[in-house]
Amino acid sequence: MQIKKVYIYLGAKADGKLSMQYENAASYMSLAISDWFKQREVSVGEFNRILFQEANSNEDFSIVASAKTMIVELVKDFKNLDQFNNAEATHHYFLQKCLQGFTRVDTQFSLNLTAELEVFLANYFKNGYVYEKEMKSKRINGIKYQVL
């Protein structure tokens, strides 16, 4: 199955509201990486989603077949949302989480995605930590309007 989505998750044991805020803070990077994966057509098993989560179990990798998701456990170093006191700190934290996760995926499946992903993310976010994708555009009276 081709990987289409990548998520970063605080974990099942986390408070629901805190977990949602964590995921929202990471969503710009998850969306950019998911788009990057769609262009690569990477297939490594019977799953089409990768979920990185701060360590919640002793297993490094697990597959949730019903959700077609591979869960990759990461080092648990999240303390609280105060860590994300500015865009630079937030970006650095989630960048390190993604690179840590993909390094583990590369090792597990004998791939070499991390180096290319690191270059992609550096280029994609060089002008700001924002994910944008054109959903629709239309010209009206010579002016192009875009929905991002």
Side-chain angles (χ1 to χ4, degrees), residues 15 32 34 38 57 61 63 71 78 106 112 132-133 137 140:
D15 170 68
S34 294
K38 288 175 191 173
S57 74
F61 294 87
I63 306 248
I71 299 171
F78 175 77
D106 282 351
N112 191 19
E132 285 188 345
K133 181 177 181 178
S137 67
I140 301 174

Side-chain angles (χ1 to χ4, degrees), residues 1 6 46 50 61 91 93 129 143:
M1 231 175 235
V6 175
E46 292 300 314
I50 297 176
F61 294 87
H91 180 74
Y93 182 86
Y129 306 126
I143 298 173

Side-chain angles (χ1 to χ4, degrees), residues 7-11 14-30 52-56 74-81 83-84 90 93-98 100:
Y7 303 95
I8 305 171
Y9 182 58
L10 188 53
D15 170 68
K17 183 178 177 184
L18 179 63
S19 186
M20 183 185 302
Q21 291 170 317
Y22 179 96
E23 289 173 52
N24 285 340
S27 66
Y28 77 102
M29 191 170 295
S30 298
F52 296 126
Q53 75 176 4
E54 304 240 5
N56 281 292
L74 303 176
V75 172
K76 186 175 177 91
D77 55 6
F78 175 77
K79 295 170 188 61
N80 57 50
L81 292 171
Q83 288 175 250
F84 307 146
T90 303
Y93 182 86
F94 288 115
L95 176 63
Q96 294 312 308
K97 287 292 171 191
C98 288
Q100 176 190 26

Side-chain angles (χ1 to χ4, degrees), residues 39-59:
Q39 297 171 2
R40 299 292 167 292
E41 298 183 10
V42 175
S43 179
V44 290
E46 292 300 314
F47 53 88
N48 61 6
R49 297 174 188 96
I50 297 176
L51 180 110
F52 296 126
Q53 75 176 4
E54 304 240 5
N56 281 292
S57 74
N58 294 332
E59 292 184 47

